[in-house]
Amino acid sequence: MSNRLILKKQFQSNTFTFGVATSSFQIEGAVESREESIWDRFCQQPGKILDGSNGNEACDHVNRWQEDLDIIDSLHVDAYRFSISWPRIIRADGSLNQQGLDFYLAILGKLKAKGIKAYVTLYHWDLPQYLEDEGGWLNRDTAYAFKQYVEVVVKAFGDLVYSYATLNEPFCSAYLGYEVGIHAPGKAKKEYGKKAIHHLLLAHGLAMKVLRQHAPKAESGIVLNFTPFYPASNSEEDAHATRLAHVHFNDWYIRPILEGEYPALIDDIPESHRPIIAPGDLDIISQPIDYLGVNYYTRARVKSDAPRDPILLPAPETSEQTAMGWEVYPQGLTDLLLQLERDFRLPPIIITENGLASDDHLVDGEVNDLQRIRYLQSHMDAVAEAMAQGVNITGYFVWSLLDNFEWALGYEKRFGIVYVDYTTQKRTLKNSAIAFRNALLSRQ
Ligand code: FCB
C-alpha cells in the first residue's frame, strides 16, 4: 500500500490554496482565562460526552501555539484555518478581554511572518454561556451581539487576516444543539431548530456587513456542511424521502444565503416551528459572499418512513468505514459539488474541511495511518474531478491539524494528521502529515 499522496494537475497551480484546520474549543484549553462557553457547561452534564471529558486542557494550544505554528509551517501549507473563541474576547459585562485578543494577534503576527494565510472562523460553536442564559440562538438579540463581537475582532485584526468565515456549520449549531440536543446547549425540541437557524443566518448577514465595512480586502464568506443523500431503493417513496432530507439538511442553510429565500417547504411546516422573519431579514442574509466553504465527510442513504421523517440508514456493512462509523464515499463529494453547481449560481468554493477519524497508535515514534492517506487521496481526486467538470474550487483544508476534542465523542476519535499524546501533550507527525507535506513540496 502506498504511503504517498499525489496531487492531480488541477492542484498544481499556485492559486490553489492548501491548508489545515482547527477550532478554538477543540484545541485551546486555558478555560480559566476566558468566559464560560456553552460547551463548558454541556461537558459538565453527566452522559453528554462519551468519555466524560471536557475542553479544560484539550491540546493546551494556548500555551503551545508557537510549537503548533512551527508544525504548520513545516507542512508547507499555504493557509491555516482556525477559529476565535467569542468568550475569550467579550466578557459577560460586555467589556473587552484584551489578553484574549492579544493571543490571536500573536498567532496572526506569526502566520504573517511565515507567509501563511490566516483563514479565521468567527464562530465555531462556542457561544458564551452568558448569552445562552438569555436564550442563545433562540433569541434574536444574539445575532446583534455577534455583530458587535465581530466588529471588535475585525477592527483589531486589520489586514492580518486573509479570509473570514462568519459561521462554521450553522446546521450543527441549530439542529444538533437546539433540535435534537446532542450538542451544546443540549436543547431538544422539534420547534427550535428552524428558529435557531434563522437567527444564526441573520448573524451571518449582519457580520458580512461589518466585514465589508472594516475588512474590505479580506475574502469573506461562510462554511456550511453538506451531506449528499441517496435513496435506499428505486421506490418513489424513497426518492421522495431523499428529496425531503436534502431540503431539511442542505438546502435550508444554503438557499437563504445564495437566493434570499427559504425552501418552499417552509409553508408546510407547523406554524409553531417557523421562525419569525422580520422584513428585510432575507436581504441581510443573502448579501454576496466571496466564497462558500464546504465541509464534507460522508454521504447518507435514505429510506422513507412516511408519515414520519425520512430515516437515514447506517453505512452499508460491506462499505469501508472510518472510526466514526462513517462510510468512505469520495464519489459523494464530486456528486455534491456538481449538484451545487447545477442548483445555484455559486461563488468560488473552498473545501474547508475534509478528513477522517481513525484508530491511530503511536508505535516506535511512528503513526502509520494508511487509511487517512487513502482517504485524503480519494477525496482530493474527487475534488479534482469536480473541477475538471467545471466547478470553481479554489482551496482544500484537511480536518484536522491535531487530534482534538471531538465534541460529544470526546478525545477517542482522532482526526489529526498530527498525533497528540494527551498525557504529555507531545505532538508527532502521522504518516499522513508527512505524505501531505511531501505532496505540497512537489508542487512547482
Ligand atoms: C465538523 C466540525 C469540526 C469537526 C469535524 C469532524 O462537523 O466542523 O469541528 O468536529 O466535523
Side-chain angles (χ1 to χ4, degrees), residues 24 82-86 89 104 120-123 126 149 153 157:
S24 49
F82 64 105
S83 79
I84 309 300
S85 160
W86 184 353
I89 302 291
Y104 296 112
V120 166
T121 303
L122 292 160
Y123 183 72
D126 42 359
Y149 146 71
V153 167
F157 289 178

Side-chain angles (χ1 to χ4, degrees), residues 23 26 124-125 168-169 172 295 297 326 353 399 406-407 415:
S23 91
Q26 295 180 276
H124 199 125
W125 309 354
N168 176 73
E169 301 190 353
C172 294
N295 292 354
Y297 289 93
W326 295 347
E353 285 180 29
W399 183 272
E406 179 46 33
W407 309 112
F415 270 94

Side-chain angles (χ1 to χ4, degrees), residues 20 45 55 62 69 71 87 111 122 130 139 155 200 216 242 255 267 279 339 341 344 362 380 390 437:
V20 283
Q45 295 175 36
V62 165
L69 262 55
I71 293 173
L111 287 173
L122 292 160
Y130 59 79
N139 181 349
K155 280 185 181 165
L200 279 149
T242 302
R255 186 164 295 278
D267 296 329
Q339 179 172 6
E341 177 77 11
F344 298 101
L362 182 63
M380 285 182 190
R437 178 194 67 199

Side-chain angles (χ1 to χ4, degrees), residues 398-412:
V398 174
W399 183 272
S400 177
L401 171 70
L402 301 171
D403 291 335
N404 60 50
F405 177 77
E406 179 46 33
W407 309 112
L409 302 177
Y411 291 97
E412 273 155 35

Side-chain angles (χ1 to χ4, degrees), residues 120-123 146 164-168 203-204 207-208 211 221-222 291:
V120 166
T121 303
L122 292 160
Y123 183 72
F146 182 67
Y164 284 102
T166 53
L167 306 177
N168 176 73
H204 155 75
M208 282 304 298
L211 289 164
I222 187 168
Y291 73 92

Side-chain angles (χ1 to χ4, degrees), residues 2 7 34 40 48 55 59 69 77 79 84-85 97 156 170 208 251 256 290 329 337 354 391 395 406 422:
S2 165
L7 299 184
R34 59 160 170 77
D40 300 306
K48 297 292 186 195
C59 305
L69 262 55
V77 290
I84 309 300
S85 160
N97 177 353
M208 282 304 298
D251 213 38
D290 298 324
Y329 198 72
L337 292 163
N354 180 233
V391 188
E406 179 46 33
Y422 293 110

